[in-house]
Amino acid sequence: MTFNSLEYLLFLPIVFILYWYVFKKSVSIQNSLVLVASYFFYGLWDWRFLFLILASTLVDFFVGQLIGKNKENKRKQKFWLWVSLLFNISLLGFFKYYNFFTESFLDMFQLFGYSVKSTWTLNIILPVGISFYTFQTMSYSLDIYYKRVKPTKDFISFATFVAFFPQLVAGPIERASNLLGQITKNRIFNYQQIVAGLKLILWGLFKKMVIADGLAPIVDDIFANYASYPASTLILGVTLFSFQVYGDFSGYSDIAIGTAKLFGIELMSNFKFPNFSRNVAEYWQRWHVSLSTWFRHYVYIPLGGSRVGKLLSVRNICIIFLVSGFWHGANWTFIFWGAFHALAYIPVFLMGRNTIYKNTVIAQDSLLPSFKEIGQLFITFSIVTFSRIFFRSESLTDSFNYISRIFNNWEYIEYHHPLGYRMIDYFVLIGLFICYEFLIRKDERNPFKFKSKILRFLIYTLVIFGILLFYDSGFDRSFIYFQF
Amino acid sequence: MIKLIWKIMVYAFLIFLVLEALVRIFHLQNDTPTWYLDEDNVYKWVPGQEGYAVYGNRRQQFSKYHINESGYNSYTEFEPTRENIEVAILGDSFIEGFHQDYFNSIGKKIENVYPGIKVYEYGHSSFDLADQLYLHHVKKEKFSKIDLIIFEVKYKNDLQRNEYTVPPRQVVFPLLRHSKLLVYLLNIGMVDPIKQLLRDFNIGQTPLAERKGLIKDDKLYQENFKSLISKYDFDKSKMTLLLDSRETNISFLDYLEREQIQYIDYGAQFANNIKRNTTLIYDRHWNDYGRSLVAKSICDFLKEKKKIGLNLPIKK
């Protein structure tokens, strides 16, 4: 069941009504309902993988208790923390990375002239959302270990925290200190919060169904046939992919955050208009914020962060970008993508400009951005978009061939999609989308923040009209980040 | 909660109204002409109707239709004479041609090559060979003045009946179709998940494609064909089939050869032109290029078989 499916359109109101009408008497009953709904939601993909979630939940629930019990014994605490980390990383390692490591190992043998017949790779299906919920459960044990939260004794609440359906399969990756606290507390029906949630859902659906799904057939065609296209088309393809992946993932996050609001829960923001970043460091403060935060808290800072010497800091930056790339997928393309971002980030860090834009947005106190800001924005967008070639290509060979064709086949030929899609529609769409996002750039949690009721109503209508104009029934509408 | 539900309902209603207006202003919906059953029990479009056939989102396919006095989509009236040279093409929606401007049909493309002849397109959605032969049968008098009659046959679709009966026909949700917004939603497939859900609960019609899967018998198709041509007087000298050999069973083609039943194979033209798309974006019907290829196949046939006489002027 995906957020943009008919099943979800039926499922969500049913759970919502049950939650606020039938099960409103106590928070534990509400949590039980959300837990059952979450398992049902997930089980529709493949019920067998429910056991993995349950296993991860049980392990971290008891590990949390044991770390809490051994307050005075640091060694025991460390031991139980390692149990949690090893268990969750093993799950990830087996389901996500086993074949990658095996194949890479065999390739290495072949590099040295040994021909090894591969019988070691397995037919493993990647459980949807495994990278997200394992990180979330690990964060719970880590937070207890670092004394940021206290272990809970309420298993239902904890299981709900792990499996909370709005963010179960693709985040935002929540930390126990934010989400678990809300789950254990009483929620009250808040009209404003629910309306805000509905607005975010609408905006998320627009980003997914119009921007991401609208551009997908064009991007798919260009990346599938890159060898026969000139540089102009390849640049167009990767630029459109940049918008596609942003629309897809930020759309998902908006729907997740909006859905959680319907149940009185506030999830963290995951995207803060990354396309308006003025350098790569700002980009990483705005793109997939929950993952960046996770790595900062649990990898970067424990390694010493930037409080150590420059060289060690650079090493730490390289580590988190490489791990972050690898987290995305078991493919060398993602590792290169991470490495590319590390290389782009390090100069910004060394110049001490990695936090200068932390609390501001482009054109902070003016109507329009300055020429300098436009230049910064263009350079940052170009760097990030270039890195997407690695992110989108099937293999490293494809990535480098794609790049090589851009530089060696430098010519402009107007692109025509084989099925005859009218390209001007998409250019106008992207232009309008950028302009609208610029208007709302200061508040990612309120995409329709206009005083006039009539204006708001017109925008709602136009957003829905946009969905109708770009809806494509023949297209597979699952989310890109489900594969991670 | 009551306030929330009330507001959602009001907003939904107002948004529905504005969307309805937008769909009408930009003419995004597909116009469907009204049909009737004539005195010979043949489905036809009510004469004199005009409108636009719209397919896909953002009206990427937008074409005007015009129903003539005979009840078919054509720029011309069907008035065959003994003196002039006329060709009739009978077929389904591909010949009906709501997917093109009515003045740019296959027939018109043939006429552009052979200005001396008139081409009448008796196309009606879902007409199979039984429909076509029956139409010829009941309008024998009119068709007797026509020099060449072409029956369009899609092997897997059009040979499932061995005689003509009036197929039941009804408009699903006729009231809902007054809303252009809902028509648009139906057209772009946005209602498909609901239809599928209803089908999962055994509510509504079984889709045509699933029913077709039940009949895969080539033998049956050939028996049906034999039965149809014997029942409805198939004149080999002035009648021919229009088919795609790539989609037709080889034994059926052998049978046609043996029986000296002529056929025009547009499949060869399509096979030689695989680089360009021959169908519409959101629809499996032929696009302008596809129709040009079919018209070319018919022109080649006319030239090769010298069907219409060699003295016709040919435009180059």
Side-chain angles (χ1 to χ4, degrees), chain B residues 13-196:
Chain B
F13 179 69
L14 291 174
I15 287 171
F16 178 86
L17 288 183
V18 178
L19 290 177
E20 177 76 27
L22 285 170
V23 168
R24 283 170 188 262
I25 289 166
F26 293 106
H27 204 300
L28 298 176
Q29 83 285 0
N30 183 32
D31 297 337
T32 313
T34 315
W35 48 262
Y36 74 106
L37 199 58
D38 78 354
E39 65 282 1
D40 295 313
N41 275 341
V42 176
Y43 284 113
K44 283 181 177 172
W45 302 117
V46 175
Q49 298 181 85
E50 282 197 337
Y52 291 90
V54 186
Y55 296 93
N57 320 48
R58 311 188 298 282
R59 57 184 239 188
Q60 290 213 47
Q61 174 62 33
F62 188 76
S63 51
K64 193 172 184 183
Y65 63 75
H66 167 81
I67 308 299
N68 68 9
E69 286 306 310
S70 306
Y72 296 94
N73 179 31
S74 176
Y75 82 99
T76 187
E77 295 302 331
F78 299 165
E79 289 159 351
T81 58
R82 297 274 175 211
E83 299 76 37
N84 296 328
I85 298 171
E86 282 111 6
V87 173
I89 309 175
L90 287 77
D92 59 8
S93 53
F94 285 75
I95 301 302
E96 178 183 56
F98 282 154
H99 316 87
Q100 68 213 19
D101 284 318
Y102 68 94
F103 45 80
N104 185 29
S105 63
I106 293 171
K108 189 68 188 160
K109 284 173 188 284
I110 298 168
E111 288 178 6
N112 288 341
V113 179
Y114 292 108
I117 65 169
K118 294 288 274 181
V119 182
Y120 301 147
E121 291 153 297
Y122 291 86
H124 193 101
S125 304
S126 79
F127 264 26
D128 63 4
L129 191 62
D131 292 301
Q132 296 170 34
L133 284 168
Y134 178 75
L135 173 67
H136 172 264
H137 181 71
V138 294
K139 305 282 181 197
K140 208 178 264 175
E141 173 68 27
K142 204 171 187 178
F143 278 101
S144 68
K145 295 176 190 164
I146 293 176
D147 302 82
L148 175 68
I149 302 164
I150 301 170
F151 297 94
E152 185 228 357
V153 178
K154 290 202 179 58
Y155 182 71
K156 287 172 188 166
N157 295 353
D158 295 343
L159 294 171
Q160 295 183 6
R161 296 193 293 168
N162 62 7
E163 68 172 339
Y164 177 77
T165 50
V166 183
R169 188 184 277 196
Q170 64 177 87
V171 178
V172 186
F173 308 127
L175 277 177
L176 291 183
R177 283 178 186 264
H178 286 292
S179 160
K180 303 299 180 197
L181 174 62
L182 290 178
V183 170
Y184 175 69
L185 295 181
L186 278 167
N187 289 347
I188 62 169
M190 213 161 194
V191 188
D192 287 355
I194 299 172
K195 283 192 206 163
Q196 186 56 47

Side-chain angles (χ1 to χ4, degrees), chain A residues 50-51 53 103 135-136 151 160 204 217 276 298 353 392 401 407 471 473:
Chain A
L50 281 174
F51 292 107
I53 295 187
E103 280 165 13
F135 268 47
Q136 192 154 308
T160 309
F276 298 131
Y298 302 118
R353 298 178 68 84
R392 176 62 177 75
N401 285 342
F407 290 107
Y471 177 84
S473 60

Side-chain angles (χ1 to χ4, degrees), chain B residues 139-312:
Chain B
K139 305 282 181 197
K140 208 178 264 175
E141 173 68 27
K142 204 171 187 178
F143 278 101
S144 68
K145 295 176 190 164
I146 293 176
D147 302 82
L148 175 68
I149 302 164
I150 301 170
F151 297 94
E152 185 228 357
V153 178
K154 290 202 179 58
Y155 182 71
K156 287 172 188 166
N157 295 353
D158 295 343
L159 294 171
Q160 295 183 6
R161 296 193 293 168
N162 62 7
E163 68 172 339
Y164 177 77
T165 50
V166 183
R169 188 184 277 196
Q170 64 177 87
V171 178
V172 186
F173 308 127
L175 277 177
L176 291 183
R177 283 178 186 264
H178 286 292
S179 160
K180 303 299 180 197
L181 174 62
L182 290 178
V183 170
Y184 175 69
L185 295 181
L186 278 167
N187 289 347
I188 62 169
M190 213 161 194
V191 188
D192 287 355
I194 299 172
K195 283 192 206 163
Q196 186 56 47
L197 194 76
L198 293 174
R199 239 174 259 140
D200 291 345
F201 290 103
N202 286 328
I203 304 167
Q205 293 176 321
T206 312
L208 204 60
E210 283 175 28
R211 272 183 276 156
K212 276 176 198 160
L214 303 173
I215 307 168
K216 283 184 179 167
D217 194 348
D218 288 316
K219 229 178 186 178
L220 177 71
Y221 293 164
Q222 289 174 30
E223 290 305 319
N224 286 346
F225 181 77
K226 285 175 199 169
S227 166
L228 286 169
I229 60 170
S230 66
K231 248 178 224 164
Y232 300 118
D233 314 321
F234 190 87
D235 178 358
K236 291 178 194 172
S237 66
K238 62 179 279 187
M239 294 179 180
T240 183
L241 304 181
L242 174 69
L243 51 79
D244 182 349
S245 60
R246 299 168 307 169
E247 303 284 325
T248 309
N249 190 294
I250 193 102
S251 66
F252 182 66
L253 295 176
D254 288 344
Y255 164 78
L256 296 179
E257 301 276 354
R258 272 201 312 277
E259 294 297 317
Q260 294 184 319
I261 296 171
Q262 300 180 91
Y263 64 87
I264 303 165
D265 174 22
Y266 60 84
Q269 288 283 352
F270 278 63
N272 292 334
N273 291 279
I274 49 168
K275 282 191 177 168
R276 278 179 69 181
N277 213 27
T278 51
T279 55
L280 299 169
I281 304 171
Y282 294 106
D283 197 283
R284 66 199 164 86
H285 289 91
W286 299 317
N287 60 15
D288 189 56
Y289 183 60
R291 281 182 284 112
S292 296
L293 292 179
V294 175
K296 188 175 183 316
S297 305
I298 295 173
C299 287
D300 289 349
F301 175 83
L302 296 177
K303 194 177 162 192
E304 230 176 75
K305 301 280 177 178
K306 299 174 185 170
K307 271 284 158 203
I308 314 290
L310 283 173
N311 53 346
L312 281 171

